[in-house]
Amino acid sequence: MTKLAVVELKLLTREPGAVFSLLIPLFILVVFGSSIEPGDTVLLPMALAIAVGLVGLYLLPTTMATYRERGILRRLSTTPVRPANLLVVQLLLQLVLALTACGLLLAVAGTVLGAHLPTRVLPGVLTFLFGTAAMFAVGLLIAALAPNGRAANGIGVLLYFPMAYLAGLMQPTDQMPDMLARIGEYTPLGAFRQSMQDVWAGGAPSPLLLGVMAAYAVVISVAAARFFRWE
């Protein structure tokens, strides 16, 4: 298991998508962050949601679907390294990547941009875990249904942009039609962004939105397990 993790980590560091997942949210934060007030509670939660969304909807499903397409999962089934071990390792590495991306955003925002950082750590960690679990569940479902890596990539992109819009990542929710803003709040990415924004404003994440993210994580993970094919 350890050797597998080391190999997969090396492969992940060479993956262009991993670099994009780190740099795109950081670019957005730096470009727009230079013109915001230090007490802003909107931009950084948006950047965090973008980072987690890129990992969950793009990198994770593309990697798993590509492994199945190339027969890697099938070949692993004949060795002591079971395909399930690869899935566990990939989920952990993608989680580390999401944590790294968010940590980089927080470090740059807090030091370079002088942005407001929340003092209550536990609500932020809880929101991150629930939101990441929901987004990873969607990514696993994409990997389960996509016939190959290219299709998984395309499906992830097609899902990401509508979800990002509804979540208020492409346009502030107060400038969206009320109905769309309300619907977007109950999408996985929207619930994550809104909960993070609540934490940044000094409050606690809504129990309802935490429940929404938990429900997405459980229900979609069950569906992904039902449809996932190892070959």
Side-chain angles (χ1 to χ4, degrees):
M1 191 79 165
T2 303
K3 291 183 178 179
L4 178 62
V6 171
V7 172
E8 289 299 311
L9 178 59
K10 291 180 179 178
L11 293 174
L12 182 62
T13 57
R14 300 170 186 169
E15 172 61 47
V19 178
F20 292 147
S21 297
L22 291 172
L23 295 184
I24 290 177
L26 183 61
F27 174 78
I28 293 173
L29 177 67
V30 171
V31 169
F32 292 98
S34 58
S35 61
I36 64 173
E37 297 294 330
D40 180 81
T41 60
V42 176
L43 182 60
L44 191 49
M46 288 174 57
L48 295 173
I50 290 171
V52 173
L54 286 174
V55 175
L57 291 180
Y58 168 67
L59 196 57
L60 175 60
T62 301
T63 300
M64 294 307 301
T66 299
Y67 279 6
R68 185 178 62 241
E69 176 189 3
R70 294 177 178 175
I72 295 175
L73 299 181
R74 175 176 51 79
R75 291 195 294 271
L76 283 177
S77 65
T78 64
T79 72
V81 181
R82 309 299 297 177
N85 291 342
L86 178 61
L87 177 60
V88 171
V89 167
Q90 273 296 322
L91 286 174
L92 290 176
L93 289 179
Q94 302 290 346
L95 176 60
V96 170
L97 178 61
L99 281 168
T100 302
C102 292
L104 183 61
L105 291 169
L106 291 173
V108 172
T111 57
V112 178
L113 301 178
H116 165 74
L117 298 179
T119 55
R120 303 178 63 188
V121 176
L122 184 58
V125 172
L126 190 65
T127 298
F128 173 83
L129 292 176
F130 275 64
T132 302
M135 297 311 302
F136 278 22
V138 177
L140 288 175
L141 183 59
I142 294 172
L145 298 176
N148 51 55
R150 182 175 297 180
N153 188 349
I155 295 171
V157 170
L158 287 175
L159 277 178
Y160 180 80
F161 285 103
M163 287 181 65
Y165 173 75
L166 289 173
L169 303 183
M170 302 175 70
Q171 181 179 2
T173 54
D174 57 5
Q175 298 178 16
M176 295 168 56
D178 291 341
M179 181 176 294
L180 287 181
R182 190 64 174 170
I183 292 173
E185 191 174 337
Y186 293 98
T187 63
L189 203 54
F192 180 43
R193 194 273 310 161
Q194 182 59 54
S195 296
M196 275 296 184
Q197 189 170 323
D198 291 341
V199 172
W200 249 253
S206 164
L208 175 60
L209 294 184
L210 290 178
V212 167
M213 289 185 282
Y216 276 120
V218 173
V219 173
I220 298 178
S221 293
V222 170
R226 169 67 178 80
F227 294 109
F228 196 85
R229 296 170 289 108
W230 295 110
E231 56 180 293

